[in-house]
Amino acid sequence: MASAFKLLFAVSLFTLLLRFCSGSIVGVCYGRNADDLPTPDKVVELIKLHNIKYVRIYDSNIQVLKAFANTGVELMVAVPNSDLLAFSQFQSNADSWLKNSILPYYPATKITYITVGLEVTESPDNASALVVPAMHNVLAALKKAGLHKRIKVSSTHSLGVLSRSFPPSAGAFNSSHASFLKPMLEFLAENQSPFMIDLYPYYAYRDSPKKVSLDYALFESSSEVIDPNTGLLYTNMFDAQIDALYFALMALNFKTIKVMVTETGWPSKGSPKEKGATPDNAQTYNTNLIRHVLNDTGTPAKPGEELDVYIFSLFNENRKPGLESERNWGLFYPDKTSIYNLDFTGKGVLDMTNSTDGSKNGTTWCIASSKASEADLQNAIDWACGPGNVDCSAIQPSQPCFEPDNLVSHASFAFNSYYQQNGASDVACSFGGKGVKVDKDPSYDNCIYLTAGGINKTASNNMTATVNTSSSSHTAVCSWICVFLLTTLIAVILNLGNMCDVSF
């Protein structure tokens, strides 16, 4: 009896260790509503290059599942709305789908979530009534295969599932969805599955720019919004929307359900009325989002709470209907070049150390194309010398690279500095097609163009230190407790082994 108790204690301790030290994650949505995307195997190469470990897809496409085999990338697959009727009516349909579309590729392809239905409350065909029965049938199929503990089942929702989201403490679910929501929340609580939400502060800003400031939507606000009911202070809309959902869950007494953000992001281009849709704003939002999430700061109502987030989307999707912004949420163009550079580590400096592109010995440089327009060059200089963290002091008046005083020369210096300090890769020299790689040193007089071996990394290191300061204490505590728990676990198991030896 004592040995059984100690074994149970050891298992519980190990589970606690894994949970405490896991931390929040950032993934990417891989939508394929386009006719110009690279093949799945090429997409996987891009994902591995950028060290992306978590990916969401919107179906269970066989070619995609095969491409992710043996990569270690954790995949979220989906049952689309078009299959909900079949899945909800007959258990055999869910069984057949699992047998034919999932099991042949698992576990080589690491599938961790199945989403049943996509934002069904926004669907015009009243599909919400089909979701929970379909979820139960998918779960039953997983149980038959012995995978219900390894693959979680849930469904994704838009923020429209709430009737109120401000102030956050007044967050409440829309009563018109009550017949669907209650059994779904009971399913999630019983099976320890997350509530999946698609959040877009961009839309709140676009539709109400006089009420929602751009800085507040981009995690850049220096002022605070106070929840009058709780006194909690909010510096960004993302946290406010997350907490509104948590308060809505608590109002229905579902206090154990975790929230997962299955879509969020910012478009890099829009129609004339969508002035906030720019590459700078998209980079700012996603960069700040990643830092915020990976620092495990949580939200005002849930400080320190882990939060898993998926950025939408990997590529621009040219077949999506609607305004121009709908086709421009991607991080990459179809040719796999970056629309803007993004660091998935949360350190603020693009990590291209695993890149197979470009020179690693500092023998290539990046300069501006003479065919680029002045407006494009000026925008590129502003970005490189701003969010790109390039030291542009050398191209200021009276400095060595100011002359010749023209945009091509100034942009060339800025492009090359960014290129060298970010791995000298093709991606780091793209600048939307305005950058050109050359093998001849463009340095002149006292204007010296950097090479990979001569970069002053002080600025980037300082910024990285600043970014990580808020999480350093959490990391240190996590490391200490993990070591303590692991040591204790080993001692318990060894002691248990000794007891077993004595018994026999």
Side-chain angles (χ1 to χ4, degrees):
M1 183 71 180
S3 61
F5 172 78
K6 288 194 174 185
L7 179 60
L8 178 61
F9 174 74
V11 172
S12 301
L13 197 61
F14 186 63
T15 302
L16 176 62
L17 184 152
L18 291 178
R19 175 177 294 183
F20 185 85
C21 295
S22 58
S24 303
I25 65 101
V26 174
V28 177
C29 300
Y30 170 23
R32 305 193 315 281
N33 193 0
D35 55 21
D36 56 357
L37 299 184
T39 58
D41 59 317
K42 297 297 183 183
V43 172
V44 169
E45 289 178 5
L46 179 69
I47 285 171
K48 291 170 65 178
L49 174 65
H50 290 272
N51 202 32
I52 298 169
K53 299 295 186 184
Y54 307 89
V55 173
R56 175 190 177 189
I57 62 174
Y58 293 82
D59 53 21
S60 54
N61 181 275
I62 292 175
Q63 296 305 316
V64 174
L65 295 184
K66 286 182 177 179
F68 278 97
N70 304 310
T71 62
V73 174
E74 294 190 15
L75 210 60
M76 180 186 296
V77 303
V79 175
N81 291 354
S82 57
D83 290 339
L84 289 178
L85 180 61
F87 276 56
S88 65
Q89 287 185 327
F90 300 103
Q91 178 65 53
S92 59
N93 289 331
D95 293 343
S96 296
W97 173 78
L98 190 74
K99 179 181 178 181
N100 298 322
S101 298
I102 301 298
L103 295 184
Y105 315 104
Y106 183 90
T109 298
K110 195 174 181 181
I111 298 167
T112 52
Y113 290 98
I114 296 174
T115 62
V116 180
L118 169 66
E119 297 187 355
V120 290
T121 57
E122 305 292 326
S123 175
D125 53 4
N126 194 29
S128 59
L130 307 174
V131 173
V132 176
M135 291 170 70
H136 277 288
N137 286 344
V138 170
L139 179 63
L142 287 170
K143 286 182 176 179
K144 293 176 185 178
L147 297 177
H148 60 292
K149 297 293 186 182
R150 299 181 182 181
I151 302 176
K152 293 293 184 181
V153 178
S154 189
S155 182
T156 65
H157 309 278
S158 73
L159 196 62
V161 75
L162 298 181
S163 60
R164 292 193 308 271
S165 60
F166 187 82
S169 59
F173 287 108
N174 193 321
S175 59
S176 63
H177 304 316
S179 59
F180 146 69
L181 280 170
K182 188 174 185 297
M184 191 203 67
L185 294 175
E186 290 172 346
F187 176 97
L188 298 181
E190 181 180 351
N191 295 286
Q192 297 181 325
S193 293
F195 188 99
M196 296 179 167
I197 190 77
D198 299 341
L199 291 184
Y200 289 102
Y202 166 75
Y203 289 127
Y205 166 72
R206 185 195 69 180
D207 297 339
S208 302
K210 293 183 179 179
K211 294 182 179 180
V212 178
S213 73
L214 180 61
D215 286 349
Y216 188 64
L218 294 175
F219 296 86
E220 296 273 284
S221 180
S222 58
S223 59
E224 298 169 334
V225 175
I226 302 175
D227 186 317
N229 300 321
T230 62
L232 294 174
L233 307 178
Y234 291 86
T235 58
N236 65 82
M237 171 158 282
F238 180 84
D239 281 354
Q241 292 178 336
I242 293 291
D243 278 355
L245 188 57
Y246 269 122
F247 277 108
L249 288 168
M250 288 189 286
L252 297 180
N253 204 32
F254 288 99
K255 300 178 180 179
T256 61
I257 296 177
K258 300 283 188 179
V259 171
M260 173 186 283
V261 180
T262 40
E263 282 185 16
T264 191
W266 198 281
S268 61
K269 185 179 179 181
S271 65
K273 294 182 179 180
E274 298 178 293
K275 296 181 179 179
T278 68
D280 283 352
N281 288 342
Q283 185 192 42
T284 298
Y285 178 83
N286 285 326
T287 297
N288 288 337
L289 169 76
I290 292 171
R291 293 176 185 173
H292 185 62
V293 170
L294 295 186
N295 280 346
D296 284 326
T297 53
T299 65
K302 294 279 187 175
E305 184 83 7
E306 294 175 3
L307 180 66
D308 295 346
V309 171
Y310 287 75
I311 296 175
F312 187 86
S313 179
L314 193 62
F315 296 104
N316 284 341
E317 298 174 76
N318 64 4
R319 295 180 61 186
K320 295 191 72 173
L323 296 175
E324 182 71 13
S325 63
E326 292 301 311
R327 293 173 288 283
N328 289 280
W329 289 85
L331 305 178
F332 299 93
Y333 293 108
D335 65 0
K336 299 188 293 180
T337 59
S338 298
I339 297 172
Y340 51 88
N341 290 299
L342 194 63
D343 169 38
F344 288 94
T345 69
K347 296 178 181 179
V349 180
L350 185 65
D351 180 13
M352 297 296 295
T353 55
N354 295 325
S355 173
T356 57
D357 301 325
S359 168
K360 294 181 180 293
N361 57 16
T363 59
T364 60
W365 295 261
C366 177
I367 62 173
S369 170
S370 59
K371 297 179 181 179
S373 69
E374 290 192 356
D376 286 341
L377 289 177
Q378 186 61 63
N379 289 336
I381 292 172
D382 292 342
W383 182 88
C385 300
N389 298 303
V390 168
D391 180 1
C392 293
S393 59
I395 57 175
Q396 300 305 310
S398 302
Q399 296 304 308
C401 299
F402 179 70
E403 298 290 348
D405 181 13
N406 61 62
L407 287 174
V408 172
S409 177
H410 291 178
S412 293
F413 181 86
F415 284 14
N416 183 70
S417 296
Y418 182 85
Y419 170 70
Q420 302 297 350
Q421 70 188 37
N422 288 286
S425 69
D426 287 344
V427 171
C429 188
S430 62
F431 289 94
K434 309 303 183 296
V436 179
K437 285 175 64 176
V438 296
D439 56 12
K440 182 180 179 181
D441 189 351
S443 301
Y444 58 92
D445 298 332
N446 293 323
C447 180
I448 307 301
Y449 276 58
L450 295 178
T451 59
I455 300 171
N456 181 354
K457 297 184 178 180
T458 303
S460 61
N461 289 339
N462 285 343
M463 182 176 62
T464 301
T466 301
V467 170
N468 291 330
T469 297
S470 61
S471 63
S472 60
S473 58
H474 171 84
T475 303
V477 172
C478 177
S479 299
W480 185 88
I481 294 182
C482 285
V483 169
F484 171 76
L485 291 176
L486 186 58
T487 303
T488 305
L489 176 61
I490 293 172
V492 169
I493 293 174
L494 289 175
N495 187 38
L496 181 60
N498 292 336
M499 291 181 61
C500 292
D501 290 340
V502 171
S503 300
F504 288 97

